[in-house]
Amino acid sequence: MNKGILFLIPCSISDAPAAAQLSPRVLHELPSINSFLVEDVRTARRFLSSLKVFPSIENLRFDVLDKDTKAVEVESLLSPLLQGRSIGVISESGCPGVADPGALAVKYAHRMNVKVVPLVGPSSILLALMASGLNGQQFAFHGYLPIGPEIQRAIRESEKESLAKKQTQIFIETPYRNNQVFIHLTKTLKESTMLCVAIDITGSNEQIRTQRVGEWRQQKTEWPKLPAVFLILAE
Amino acid sequence: MNKGILFLIPCSISDAPAAAQLSPRVLHELPSINSFLVEDVRTARRFLSSLKVFPSIENLRFDVLDKDTKAVEVESLLSPLLQGRSIGVISESGCPGVADPGALAVKYAHRMNVKVVPLVGPSSILLALMASGLNGQQFAFHGYLPIGPEIQRAIRESEKESLAKKQTQIFIETPYRNNQVFIHLTKTLKESTMLCVAIDITGSNEQIRTQRVGEWRQQKTEWPKLPAVFLILAE
């Protein structure tokens, strides 16, 4: 029997209608899938419902794959693949497998010799890098900056690494900490370091701005509480 | 006067029809742009022509922005933005600003206080990371591995860094060197290190496979001469 396929299905990263930001192939493949691994069932149902490709989402199966899912559970969640049924992985925001728990499912799919197909959609990390004008030939993504007094040391180390490797350093932040992290970055980084702040990418409040830390310091900036990506390049 | 917008326009990364891999917003924004900065005029014309959004591509303006373009030239290429005319940046493959010279245009756009809008489309680096099942919470992109005797040292250093930081290390390769680089990787890396090879992503010969180096060594593998991404995670 042919095995099913593990499809990696991107979803919207902003208030913009999802269908405008997803590649048409997503809508083309979805009708062949009726089982989904999702971070949050409610938002995944709402997302699929908004795409209007299923006559009803009541017949779809949703299982939770989040940061608390154990490896042994993942194996059993993926077992329908061995019976020829395809499964879709959907993240809370953007591309499954990037800055989310989806990679665990993919890892087991490879172990089971199951085909993995990534579909094209929005990634705030990649879009921020594109729009930053910083080095796109060498870059590193670090997730979140540490909370607490650790943050300044982490910023300084990241700046040092950026300078040594000419490597763009990328961080994400949860909306309510944007201003706090921005203040830490502008206080701690060197004047000559380039800093890009990318807020609400693809959304109605999208703002992407790159300038030297010295220039940021001369302005009073207040960021909205929306998803943000911070990128630095030391020069 | 309102300034124009610098749009970052992704294009196809395989033989698949471009329109199936681009977000619909690309097709929606394109008709408002009649001036493009491109790596290669011939392929950019062919790409835009295939999308069938312009009545004729004869009236479009194309200027070359490639690795040999000087900073001072970029400033003059972008000057139409100050007269309110939008410009599109198109890479040879995938997303402008990532592993290509497009970042130079973006950098100047920020300096000119021009709005930069990244559009959603395929990136072989991001799709390979999604489909690798390797760590998507921490990753670094390094471009090409060095040619010649340097390559083994570079692979070993990258493996060491991956282990120390739990960081997925990502490289791209030009098609004709795939097999050579694959042999170097499987010979040089430790048995326990995870290696993902992602070939022709989104294309008709797409192959994405992750396993331990020890497992790769037990198979005879011959890769087609198609675009490839290599990802490693030391464990």
Side-chain angles (χ1 to χ4, degrees):
Chain A
M1 194 187 342
N2 284 335
K3 289 175 188 161
I5 294 173
L6 188 73
F7 285 102
L8 307 179
I9 299 164
C11 67
S12 183
I13 57 174
S14 70
D15 56 0
Q21 302 290 349
L22 302 174
S23 61
R25 194 178 160 199
V26 174
L27 306 185
H28 177 78
E29 300 286 2
L30 271 174
S32 70
I33 313 170
N34 53 34
S35 186
F36 295 90
L37 297 182
V38 304
E39 267 191 276
D40 182 283
V41 174
R42 205 170 55 97
T43 52
R45 288 172 77 103
R46 201 191 303 143
F47 163 65
L48 289 179
S49 191
S50 79
L51 298 178
K52 300 187 175 62
V53 291
F54 296 103
S56 158
I57 59 161
E58 296 310 314
N59 306 319
L60 305 177
R61 185 193 163 112
F62 294 91
D63 290 293
V64 172
L65 172 74
D66 64 15
K67 60 182 175 39
D68 301 322
T69 308
K70 305 271 176 301
V72 54
E73 294 171 68
V74 175
E75 283 196 80
S76 100
L77 289 171
L78 293 181
S79 60
L81 290 165
L82 301 176
Q83 280 100 54
R85 276 177 283 150
S86 291
I87 292 179
V89 183
I90 304 178
S91 169
E92 262 304 270
S93 171
C95 295
V98 180
D100 89 328
L104 198 58
V106 180
K107 185 178 170 175
Y108 274 86
H110 282 297
R111 213 179 266 186
M112 293 157 68
N113 222 343
V114 157
K115 193 172 170 182
V116 177
V117 174
L119 301 179
V120 176
S123 157
S124 60
I125 299 163
L126 189 90
L127 292 163
L129 178 66
M130 287 166 68
S132 69
L134 304 183
N135 193 359
Q137 319 257 11
Q138 307 271 346
F139 57 88
F141 173 69
H142 302 285
Y144 297 89
L145 278 163
I147 300 177
E150 277 293 276
I151 190 172
Q152 290 189 344
R153 201 178 52 84
I155 291 171
R156 272 193 212 102
E157 266 176 28
S158 168
E159 186 178 42
K160 218 184 280 176
E161 191 167 11
S162 175
L163 188 66
K165 299 182 177 174
K166 296 187 198 303
Q167 189 184 54
T168 302
Q169 308 281 313
I170 311 174
F171 303 92
I172 46 176
E173 203 39 75
T174 43
Y176 74 94
R177 289 186 74 222
N178 284 350
N179 284 299
Q180 212 177 320
V181 165
F182 177 74
I183 290 169
H184 276 297
L185 286 167
T186 49
K187 269 194 185 162
T188 312
L189 293 167
K190 292 197 171 73
E191 241 184 24
S192 60
T193 292
M194 303 294 292
L195 169 63
C196 176
V197 185
I199 303 266
D200 194 35
I201 300 182
T202 75
S204 50
N205 292 295
E206 180 176 280
Q207 290 185 59
I208 307 170
R209 191 88 189 85
T210 302
Q211 53 186 357
R212 293 195 191 278
V213 168
E215 293 168 290
W216 281 117
R217 280 190 196 142
Q218 286 161 27
Q219 294 150 23
K220 201 168 157 44
T221 316
E222 178 82 21
W223 300 106
K225 290 187 173 51
L226 290 165
V229 185
F230 295 93
L231 306 93
I232 68 168
L233 182 65
E235 288 187 339
Chain B
M1 195 184 348
N2 282 334
K3 289 175 187 161
I5 294 173
L6 189 71
F7 284 103
L8 306 178
I9 299 163
C11 66
S12 183
I13 58 173
S14 71
D15 56 1
Q21 304 290 350
L22 302 175
S23 60
R25 196 179 160 200
V26 175
L27 307 185
H28 177 78
E29 300 286 2
L30 271 174
S32 70
I33 312 170
N34 54 31
S35 185
F36 296 90
L37 296 182
V38 304
E39 264 191 277
D40 181 285
V41 175
R42 205 168 56 98
T43 53
R45 289 171 76 104
R46 201 192 301 144
F47 162 66
L48 289 180
S49 190
S50 79
L51 299 177
K52 299 188 173 63
V53 290
F54 296 102
S56 158
I57 59 161
E58 296 310 314
N59 306 320
L60 305 177
R61 184 190 165 114
F62 294 91
D63 290 292
V64 172
L65 173 74
D66 64 15
K67 59 181 174 40
D68 301 320
T69 308
K70 305 272 177 301
V72 52
E73 296 171 68
V74 174
E75 285 198 76
S76 101
L77 290 171
L78 293 180
S79 60
L81 290 164
L82 301 177
Q83 278 99 55
R85 276 176 283 151
S86 291
I87 293 179
V89 183
I90 304 178
S91 167
E92 261 305 270
S93 171
C95 295
V98 181
D100 90 326
L104 197 57
V106 180
K107 184 178 171 178
Y108 275 86
H110 283 297
R111 211 178 270 184
M112 291 156 69
N113 224 343
V114 158
K115 192 171 171 183
V116 176
V117 173
L119 300 179
V120 176
S123 156
S124 60
I125 299 163
L126 189 92
L127 292 163
L129 178 67
M130 289 165 68
S132 69
L134 303 183
N135 192 358
Q137 319 258 12
Q138 307 271 347
F139 57 87
F141 172 69
H142 301 285
Y144 297 88
L145 279 162
I147 300 176
E150 277 292 276
I151 190 170
Q152 290 189 345
R153 201 177 52 84
I155 291 171
R156 272 196 212 100
E157 267 177 27
S158 168
E159 187 178 41
K160 219 184 280 176
E161 191 166 13
S162 176
L163 188 67
K165 300 183 179 173
K166 297 187 199 302
Q167 189 185 55
T168 301
Q169 308 281 312
I170 311 173
F171 302 92
I172 45 174
E173 203 38 78
T174 42
Y176 75 94
R177 286 187 74 221
N178 284 349
N179 285 299
Q180 210 177 323
V181 165
F182 177 74
I183 291 169
H184 276 297
L185 286 167
T186 49
K187 270 195 184 161
T188 311
L189 293 167
K190 292 197 171 73
E191 241 183 24
S192 59
T193 293
M194 303 295 290
L195 169 63
C196 176
V197 185
I199 302 267
D200 195 34
I201 300 181
T202 75
S204 49
N205 292 295
E206 180 177 280
Q207 288 184 61
I208 307 170
R209 191 90 190 83
T210 302
Q211 53 186 355
R212 293 196 192 278
V213 168
E215 294 169 289
W216 282 117
R217 281 190 195 142
Q218 286 160 29
Q219 294 150 20
K220 199 167 158 43
T221 316
E222 177 81 21
W223 299 107
K225 290 187 174 50
L226 290 164
V229 184
F230 295 93
L231 305 92
I232 69 170
L233 182 66
E235 287 188 339

